[in-house]
Amino acid sequence: MTKRIPVILDGDPGHDDAIAWVLANASPLLDIKAVTSVCGNQTIQKTTYNAGRIMTLIDLNVPLAMGRVKPLVADPIIAPTVHGNSGLDGPALPEPKHKPVEQDACTLMAEVIEASEEPVALIPTGPLTNVAALLLLYPHLKPKIRHIYLMGGGIQYGNWTPAAEFNILVDPEAADIVFTSGVPITMAGLDVTEQALVFPEDFERIRAVGNPVAKVVAEWLDFFYGFHRSIGYPGAPVHDAVAVAALIRPDIMTMEDMYVAVETTGDYCRGATVGDRLGVLHRPANARVIMGIDREAFVDLLVEAATCYNKGGERA
Ligand code: RIB
Ligand code: CA
């Protein structure tokens, strides 16, 4: 039996963060050590509350720490049109079983990394504010960060501006710190996450699994698809779950190593992740960028994860 990989989940739930966490919690490959919330899709208060509700639903009993109240420099941007005013509109969820711990997110991250015998993988699926703070405040811990599997950016286009993807745009200064940190990065950007579409017929496969978690995941997809259908998508792009899948099933993806720069200035391009695919800058690659995915294998992964929860919601 191979040793499970210690991971920290950092996100701004958010429907796709929630589905990513259901996937991570179902994987026998991962040992989730902590969860940290970040402001993004909604305010830090709401994403922290949502994190507690998700963790209770999936019986994930690890410390939860609240992240910073705003990006490092920028003013917050939230996304109620996509995720609703609660940040996780749709199905009823249990109240959080546990309160967040006293420590803030980057302190908890540092404590977990420090205490771990093995290097810890970080899976940020929101703005990179907490991860950047960790790297700034605890640079000596970099060698104990196994890898950062992040959802964010897009080499070819943005989704919140023509150039920038939401997570990076919310905190470009943080993203720049992460991409220049020297810590190994796998980037699940829009290039791949917009291929990771889950279609309504896939929702029904998950709903048919029949346990409480599967039912909620299907209803999260119902809600999340509502926004995307209104702008012409044939399915729901479950962006954040691709970052988890990159760790547990890289074999269903195609990836390219390249130098990626984060634009932090400009009227039109702030928050862009500029990928040097052709190597014209002759700079060493700082990110493994996912460019393709086997969509059906990805959906099968989500269905399989849903079957791992039994009638009580806890992981079977
Ligand atoms: O652009 C998609 C990303 O922004 C996802 O992480 C979604 O949850 C939102 O945070
Ligand atoms: Ca997210």
Side-chain angles (χ1 to χ4, degrees), residues 138-195:
Y138 303 93
H140 67 286
L141 291 178
K142 283 185 186 178
K144 286 198 72 181
I145 301 175
R146 176 188 177 110
H147 203 106
I148 298 174
Y149 297 87
L150 64 88
M151 191 281 140
I155 298 307
Q156 298 163 85
Y157 50 80
N159 64 358
W160 215 256
T161 71
E165 177 277 329
F166 179 80
N167 287 341
I168 306 299
L169 179 65
V170 169
D171 200 339
E173 286 72 22
D176 182 38
I177 289 164
V178 173
F179 277 87
T180 55
S181 67
V183 175
I185 291 169
T186 293
M187 172 179 144
L190 297 175
D191 316 282
V192 64
T193 67
E194 299 265 314
Q195 299 175 49

Side-chain angles (χ1 to χ4, degrees), residues 12 16-17 41 125-126 167 240:
D12 58 339
D16 50 338
D17 304 77
N41 285 319
T125 56
N167 287 341
D240 295 334

Side-chain angles (χ1 to χ4, degrees), residues 21 35 37 51 88 93 96 98 116 133 154 175 199 215 226 251:
W21 294 1
V35 175
S37 60
L88 199 54
L93 295 174
H98 304 294
S116 178
F199 297 130
K215 181 173 174 296
D251 59 296

Side-chain angles (χ1 to χ4, degrees), residues 268-290:
Y268 296 99
C269 293
R270 175 170 161 81
T273 46
V274 183
D276 185 12
R277 282 187 92 177
L278 302 181
V280 295
L281 296 177
H282 304 293
R283 290 183 186 177
N286 60 342
R288 176 155 293 177
V289 179
I290 311 172

Side-chain angles (χ1 to χ4, degrees), residues 13-17 41 79-89 223-224:
H15 294 74
D16 50 338
D17 304 77
N41 285 319
T81 53
V82 183
H83 300 276
N85 284 327
S86 73
L88 199 54
D89 283 15
F223 182 90
F224 192 50

